[in-house]
Every structure is written in C-alpha cells, then in structure tokens.
C-alpha cells in the first residue's frame, strides 16, 4: 500500500476517534498534576493503551508510561512522546483548588496527541506495512519546579534527576529508541504549526543564606540578617547582567522562597531559587560561576554564610533538520504553507534539549491555545489544531519514516553523529551537581 493511502487511513481513524480524544484532553486539562505526581494522568494513558491492546510499561521514573507497537518487519524504533505534567498557576480558572496546579503549558494536549497517534496506528491496519517500531511514551515532569520536593525524592533514592526525560534516559527507557519527537502547543496568533528552533539550556540553584536571629527592634546588632545578605546577592546578580552577551541569551531569574518568619525577628534563614539559562553549555557554566560569586558577595557583606546547591537542569535544544523536514512536509499538507512558521531561538528550556543531544530529535509546535503560556489565561481555543491536527502530522511523519523498509528513518539514523553518548550525557549531568558552603572567616559558626 502506498504512503498516501496509509496516511489517509490513519487520519480517518483519528477523525473517527475525535470524541474520545477531546474528552481525554479535557479530562486531563481539568485534573492537572505536577511533575512526578501525575498518577491519574498516567493511569488514563495506560487505560487507553490497554483498550487498544498495546503492550506497555508503567511506573517508569515514577509515573512514565512506555508503549510499543510493531510494524510488519524489524527495523528502527521511533519514539513519539507526550509530557504528563502541569505547572502551578493558582489564579488559573481551572487550577486544582488544593494544589494550584493548572495546565497552563498545554501538556494535556500532548497526551491527547499521543493517544490519538496510538488510536491511528492501532486501529487503521497500517502497521503491517511499516518497518520497525513506534515507542509511545508519556513522560513525567518536564517543568523543572517544586525543586525542594524533588530533592526529597532524590534523597529517598526514588529519582536521580529532577526532570523526567533525563531520569528516563538514566533508567534506560531510551536505550532502544533511535529517534524521538513530540509536539508542544503554543498560543501563537500567526502560523499554525512549526518545528521548534534551538533553545536555552539551564542549571538550577537552591540557595540558603544562614544568619543569626535577634530582636529586630531591640538588638539587631546582635543578629546577622540573612535577608539583607540575600538582597546584596540579588543586587550583585543584577549588576553583572551588563556582562552577559546577547548571543549567549543568558537569563537569571531568582525568586525568594523563604524571606523571614516573624517581622520582629532578624531573619536567620532565607532561601532563594534560580535558573541560570544560556544558549550553550559553556555560556551557562560561565554565567553560573559569576552568579555564585555574586551570592557569596551577599554573605561576605553581612558576615553570613551561604549554601549554594547547583543542580543539572536541561541542555540547550539542538535542531535536527532532516527529521524536521519530514515533519514539515506532513504538517504543510494539513495546514498549508500559510499555516507554517519558521521558528527562531527560544529563551526557555526543555528536557527535549537533553534528548536532542543523544539522538535525532525534534519538538514540533502547534498553535491552538490562547493567552499567555504559564499564565492564568492560557486556554485551548482551537481544539482541532491543539488536539487532532498534531496527531495526524505525527502519524503521517511516522509513516514516512517507517514505510518502504524504513528507508527515511534509516537514512537519518545512519548519517547521525550524536552530540553526546548516553554515558557522556550522564557524566556531564553528574558533574554539574555541586553543594558549596561559603562563609567569611569572621562569620564563625552561625
Ligand atoms: Zn511550560
Ligand atoms: Zn511545556
């Protein structure tokens, strides 16, 4: 059967399953779960895969699900992925009243896309005409949030990496995968689909200033004000911004997560978190070292001490244009040349960057949401474009890659030199992890 017929069969099934796909997307949207806690969402994925008779593993990196469908002959394995987690935006009208979690990044659509692809492949009869396998992967914890909670999981030995894809890599879930792609929704007003361009990577810092408590009115001279120390550190970070170069796209955006407990007590324990983002590993490391120097300056000025925990975040996203070209062709068939936009650099970060370092990988983009990403007004406003069209584009891309003895997939894999092997990647991530306690000699033991 030729590819045109295979593609139309898969798309017909996806259209026929419209009701189930939209119901799933909406169910997940109003039941948001934060990273490494996506048990309900993962159960929904598992239920749909079971209904389709798709063999799958659950509980990978706590909540990850990995299904596998086989073509008619052995060959390469292509992963299509969806992210399970949400973010925390308490003001969002559909935020979980208890946790504040909300699907303000649209990952519910990714899971709808993933399950729609599963329906398309399993119910259309195309699989015997394909070569190789499709790994259908629901991946936990893309948003790098609730850092303290996840460090707790790490200390309990439940995870090593705080991001879901790095953890899945560590556990070997990508060992039998040759290339990978996914779709992320956006609220872009012009253009309907694209393949994302390069992005920033990041490291993540947990910072604790330790001072000494004292009566804030009666005897502040007997205390060491950890909040003042933190403020000096934050001002120092702002002072070095002029040294960041435009091409490096450095972003440092600290927050104070604990600023003091009682107004009449000099704050003794103050905590900050920040990312240090940049367009290359070298730029991130250089900026991270400058930020550490600034944080120490705060401790030095006040005679406090500062503990800086630097954690591996995500690698910058690389763009693999051969795979992108296959996707583009199919997306344009669905939304027209007018519906395509060419993506430029993204200053945010994602753990698809990590995957893109070890295999050919792309992150497709589809509009269909309105409002501000990670904002209280982020909502689906074109359900077909958000939930259905990306699944068709993905399924059609899989057919191009895997039909005709998987010639296109093999050509991409054979010509590919990964930026890092899995072992090099894990070694890199582990050497980022540092825990520094810094104090001036006169600080003594505070
Ligand atoms: Zn996000
Ligand atoms: Zn996202």
């Amino acid at each position: 059967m030729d590819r045109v017929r295979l593609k139309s069969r898969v798309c017909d099934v996806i259209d026929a399953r419209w009701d189930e796909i939209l119901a799933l997307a909406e169910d997940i949207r109003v039941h948001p779960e934060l990273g490494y806690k996506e048990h309900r969402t993962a159960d929904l994925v598992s239920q749909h895969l079971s209904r389709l008779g798709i063999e799958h593993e659950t509980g990978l990196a706590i909540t990850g699900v990995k299904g596998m469908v086989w073509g008619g002959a052995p060959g390469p394995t292509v992963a299509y992925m969806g992210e399970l987690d949400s973010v925390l935006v308490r003001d969002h009208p559909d935020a979980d009243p208890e946790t504040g979690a909300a699907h303000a990044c649209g990952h519910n659509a990714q899971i709808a896309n993933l399950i729609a692809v599963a329906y398309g492949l399993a119910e259309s009869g195309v699989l015997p005409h394909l070569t190789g396998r499709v790994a259908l992967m629901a991946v936990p914890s893309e948003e790098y949030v609730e850092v303290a909670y996840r460090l707790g999981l790490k200390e309990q030995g439940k995870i090593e990496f705080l991001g879901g894809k790095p953890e899945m890599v560590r556990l070997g879930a990508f060992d039998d995968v040759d290339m990978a792609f996914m779709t992320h929704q956006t609220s872009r007003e012009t253009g309907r689909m694209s393949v994302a361009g390069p992005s920033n990577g990041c490291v993540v810092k947990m910072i604790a200033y330790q001072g000494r408590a004292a009566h804030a009115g009666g005897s502040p001279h007997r205390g060491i004000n950890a909040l003042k120390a933190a403020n000096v550190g934050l001002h120092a970070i702002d002072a070095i911004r002029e040294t960041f170069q435009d091409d490096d796209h450095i972003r440092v955006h600290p927050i104070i997560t604990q600023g003091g407990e009682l107004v009449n007590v000099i704050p003794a324990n103050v905590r900050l978190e920040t990312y240090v983002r940049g367009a290359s590993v070298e730029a991130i490391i250089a900026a991270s070292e400058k930020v550490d120097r600034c944080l120490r300056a705060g401790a030095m000025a006040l005679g406090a001490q500062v503990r800086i925990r630097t954690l591996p975040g995500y690698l910058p996203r690389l763009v693999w244009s051969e795979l992108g070209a296959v996707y583009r062709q199919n997306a344009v068939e669905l939304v027209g040349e007018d519906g395509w936009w060419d993506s430029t650099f993204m200053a945010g970060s994602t753990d698809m960057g990590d995957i893109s370092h070890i295999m050919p990988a792309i992150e497709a983009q589809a509009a269909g949401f309105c409002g501000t990403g990670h904002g209280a007004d982020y909502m689906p406003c074109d359900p077909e474009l958000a939930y259905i069209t990306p699944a068709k584009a993905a399924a059609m891309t899989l057919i191009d890659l895997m039909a005709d003895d998987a010639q296109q997939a093999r050509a991409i894999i054979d010509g590919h030199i990964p930026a890092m092997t899995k072992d090099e990647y894990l070694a890199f991530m582990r050497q980022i992890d540092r825990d520094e306690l810094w104090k001036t000699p006169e600080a003594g033991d505070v």
Side-chain angles (χ1 to χ4, degrees):
M1 201 181 302
D2 67 19
R3 284 193 223 169
V4 175
R5 279 192 61 201
L6 294 171
K7 288 180 186 179
S8 78
R9 277 196 181 194
V10 168
C11 291
D12 287 348
V13 169
I14 293 171
D15 279 331
R17 290 294 184 182
W18 178 290
D19 289 347
E20 284 92 337
I21 295 161
L22 262 60
L24 174 67
E26 191 58 14
D27 186 0
I28 297 171
R29 197 180 71 78
V30 299
H31 294 99
E33 297 174 299
L34 289 165
Y36 289 132
K37 300 174 183 173
E38 315 96 324
H39 297 286
R40 183 182 184 279
T41 312
D43 280 348
L44 289 171
V45 171
S46 177
Q47 283 165 26
H48 279 275
L49 295 181
S50 295
R51 195 176 302 163
L52 290 166
I54 296 175
E55 199 177 296
H56 59 280
E57 295 168 80
T58 59
L60 294 165
I62 301 180
T63 52
V65 182
K66 181 183 179 188
M68 194 68 86
V69 294
W70 275 260
T77 301
V78 185
Y80 184 68
M81 295 187 284
E83 295 162 350
L84 290 159
D85 60 331
S86 65
V87 277
L88 202 156
V89 183
R90 287 189 195 280
D91 295 342
H92 195 288
D94 296 308
D96 183 301
E98 274 178 33
T99 65
H103 269 294
C105 205
H107 296 186
N108 64 309
Q110 297 187 28
I111 298 300
N113 297 160
L114 175 73
I115 295 303
V117 169
Y119 274 105
L121 293 174
E123 293 191 327
S124 62
V126 302
L127 287 169
H129 304 276
L130 303 180
T131 295
R133 307 184 303 176
V134 179
L136 298 162
M137 297 171 77
V139 180
S141 192
E142 186 274 336
E143 307 283 356
Y144 204 117
V145 296
E146 294 195 299
V147 178
Y149 167 74
R150 291 187 198 172
L151 274 176
L153 293 178
K154 183 175 162 72
E155 275 153 26
Q156 294 163 39
K158 293 183 178 163
I159 55 171
E160 178 179 346
F161 297 116
L162 278 60
K165 294 185 198 72
E167 183 65 5
M168 297 267 279
V169 169
R170 179 182 78 84
L171 294 170
F174 286 91
D175 286 359
D176 61 352
V177 174
D178 296 297
M179 69 175 80
F181 71 116
M182 57 170 283
T183 314
H184 200 296
Q185 278 63 23
T186 83
S187 56
R188 190 184 170 88
E189 282 160 20
T190 54
R192 294 158 73 78
M193 299 185 89
S194 183
V195 169
S199 79
N200 269 340
C202 64
V203 295
V204 179
K205 290 182 189 289
M206 300 278 288
I207 301 132
Y209 281 98
Q210 180 74 42
R212 187 189 301 132
H215 195 292
S219 54
H221 58 282
R222 300 184 69 169
I224 295 174
N225 193 320
L227 181 60
K228 300 285 186 196
N231 277 324
V232 172
L234 293 173
H235 282 305
I237 290 170
D238 285 334
I240 61 165
R241 290 187 195 277
E242 66 181 10
T243 72
F244 299 151
Q245 299 189 66
D246 294 351
D247 290 347
D248 289 337
H249 297 277
I250 302 296
R251 297 275 194 281
V252 188
H253 41 92
I255 58 169
I256 298 177
T257 54
Q258 182 180 312
E261 288 178 287
L262 294 174
V263 70
N264 62 353
V265 178
I266 294 291
N269 296 292
V270 168
R271 289 172 191 270
L272 316 180
E273 286 177 23
T274 192
Y275 291 1
V276 180
R277 305 187 200 244
S280 69
V281 166
E282 296 74 24
I284 296 167
I285 303 292
S288 170
E289 286 171 1
K290 287 184 189 177
V291 166
D292 288 350
R293 203 173 61 204
C294 294
L295 294 169
R296 289 183 210 116
M300 174 183 272
L302 275 291
Q305 69 180 37
V306 62
R307 185 174 168 189
I308 306 168
R309 178 78 188 267
T310 300
L311 294 161
Y314 298 149
L315 288 174
R317 184 173 55 215
L318 307 175
V319 178
W320 298 106
S321 49
E322 294 89 350
L323 182 54
V326 181
Y327 186 86
R328 183 189 193 285
Q329 213 174 2
N330 288 297
V332 164
E333 215 170 291
L334 294 166
V335 299
E337 284 286 350
D338 289 351
W340 183 265
W341 82 90
D342 286 320
S343 287
T344 50
F345 186 84
M346 180 186 91
S349 319
T350 166
D351 55 6
M352 265 311 269
D354 300 54
I355 302 301
S356 74
H357 274 69
I358 59 175
M359 67 181 68
I362 56 164
E363 183 160 356
Q365 291 179 292
F369 275 67
C370 294
T372 304
H374 290 201
D377 60 349
Y378 197 67
M379 290 283 183
C381 54
D382 181 343
E384 181 174 8
L385 185 55
Y387 302 140
I388 304 292
T389 314
K392 290 182 181 175
M396 290 161 72
T397 300
L398 288 165
I399 288 168
D400 273 333
L401 292 168
M402 301 171 65
D404 304 320
D405 194 34
Q407 278 174 36
Q408 290 217 38
R410 291 185 207 276
I412 291 169
I413 295 160
D414 291 347
H416 183 75
I417 301 167
M420 290 180 179
T421 64
K422 176 187 166 184
D423 288 345
E424 286 166 350
Y425 165 72
L426 293 175
F428 171 80
M429 293 289 274
R430 286 170 180 147
Q431 56 99 18
I432 295 286
D433 198 331
R434 284 185 55 206
D435 197 356
E436 175 189 351
L437 181 65
W438 192 92
K439 58 185 177 182
T440 49
E442 59 270 35
D445 293 322
V446 290

